[in-house]
Amino acid sequence: MSKIDDIAPTRPSSVEDGAESAKRRQILEGARQVFLAEGFDGASMGAIAKEAGVSKGTLYVYFNSKEALFEALTVEEKQGLAEVLFRLDADDPDVRGVLTRLGTSYLSHMGDPEHISSVRMVIGAAEKFPRIGQVFYEAGPCQGIARIKNYLDRQVEAGRLDIADTSIAAQHLLDLCQSGTMRRLLFSVGTRPNEEEIRKTVENAMRVFFAAYGPKK
């Protein structure tokens, strides 16, 4: 069992799966709104119950603490995002095109105000609750890097790339695409990059990545 699997909250056995899933989704959406508005420390189970439209008793049936609720929300959102952002066609011979589309989607997400708020919140809470930082990292960056690594492994096998360590190359790719954008936005410097800025940043990232990892001629 993975570290992520063991944080799942206990669910009420007496509720049918469909209704239970809908109620859980309702609670998670309410929690997301409260966490974004109040931050982790400022959020309370009472406020989350009110926003979700459930009683505190019902809330505690699904999640026994604010930490468990935040962990579940993080895992669900990051895993869903990984499915969308890191869907890579390993059989497409146009590797540069595949990675350019990935870089564009990734950088667009990095600049999303809700994403920036989430990262700030996790950073602020991680010192007091290290597990929150661990869960966020495993469900987000680690998932993305693992998916890119698998894709790069296939491209190396096909002779389209020349990479000694695909795990490091996957991290390099994401770092090149961010190119300081995330750091700048975390400190509220400047505005979210527009389409032209994203295009130029990703083009530069691809140039550097393929200079380092392109097939040997």
Side-chain angles (χ1 to χ4, degrees):
M1 183 175 290
S2 70
K3 293 178 181 177
I4 291 177
D5 292 332
D6 67 11
I7 67 170
T10 302
R11 300 179 184 182
S13 58
S14 61
V15 184
E16 293 184 1
D17 289 346
E20 175 188 345
S21 178
K23 182 66 69 176
R24 186 174 186 274
R25 179 71 259 161
Q26 179 182 338
I27 291 170
L28 289 174
E29 178 57 28
R32 188 176 73 86
Q33 297 298 330
V34 174
F35 281 131
L36 287 173
E38 305 295 337
F40 180 81
D41 284 339
S44 68
M45 293 293 270
I48 290 170
K50 182 178 180 180
E51 180 68 27
V54 300
S55 68
K56 286 185 69 174
T58 297
L59 178 58
Y60 277 104
V61 166
Y62 283 83
F63 301 99
N64 60 16
S65 69
K66 183 172 67 172
E67 291 77 16
L69 178 49
F70 186 81
E71 289 176 0
L73 180 64
T74 296
V75 170
E76 182 164 310
E77 290 197 344
K78 292 304 177 185
Q79 288 182 335
L81 184 63
E83 290 289 339
V84 175
L85 281 184
F86 301 104
R87 187 177 298 163
L88 304 167
D89 185 357
D91 296 321
D92 188 338
D94 182 12
V95 179
R96 187 182 290 264
V98 170
L99 294 183
T100 295
R101 289 190 290 274
L102 167 64
T104 300
S105 297
Y106 179 72
L107 187 52
S108 297
H109 171 68
M110 287 296 102
D112 184 82
E114 285 195 4
H115 175 71
I116 298 298
S117 295
S118 294
V119 174
R120 286 179 182 146
M121 179 167 49
V122 170
I123 292 172
E127 183 173 0
K128 186 177 180 181
F129 301 101
R131 181 165 175 76
I132 288 177
Q134 177 186 345
V135 168
F136 187 91
Y137 184 73
E138 290 179 352
C142 284
Q143 288 281 331
I145 290 170
R147 286 171 179 263
I148 296 173
K149 179 192 182 305
N150 290 338
Y151 170 81
L152 295 179
D153 284 338
R154 293 281 300 277
Q155 303 316 305
V156 171
E157 291 172 3
R160 296 170 185 148
L161 294 173
D162 184 15
I163 304 173
D165 189 325
T166 51
S167 291
I168 292 175
Q171 183 64 69
H172 285 168
L173 178 67
L174 295 184
D175 289 344
L176 286 168
C177 289
Q178 287 189 60
S179 189
T181 299
M182 185 69 175
R183 184 167 56 250
R184 173 174 63 79
L185 293 177
L186 282 173
F187 288 101
S188 298
V189 177
T191 59
R192 180 178 184 175
N194 58 36
E195 290 185 5
E196 179 63 14
E197 290 169 334
I198 290 174
R199 183 187 65 79
K200 289 181 178 179
T201 298
V202 174
E203 282 183 356
N204 286 329
M206 293 302 111
R207 176 173 54 80
V208 175
F209 185 85
F210 279 91
Y213 298 120
K216 293 290 188 285
K217 296 182 179 179

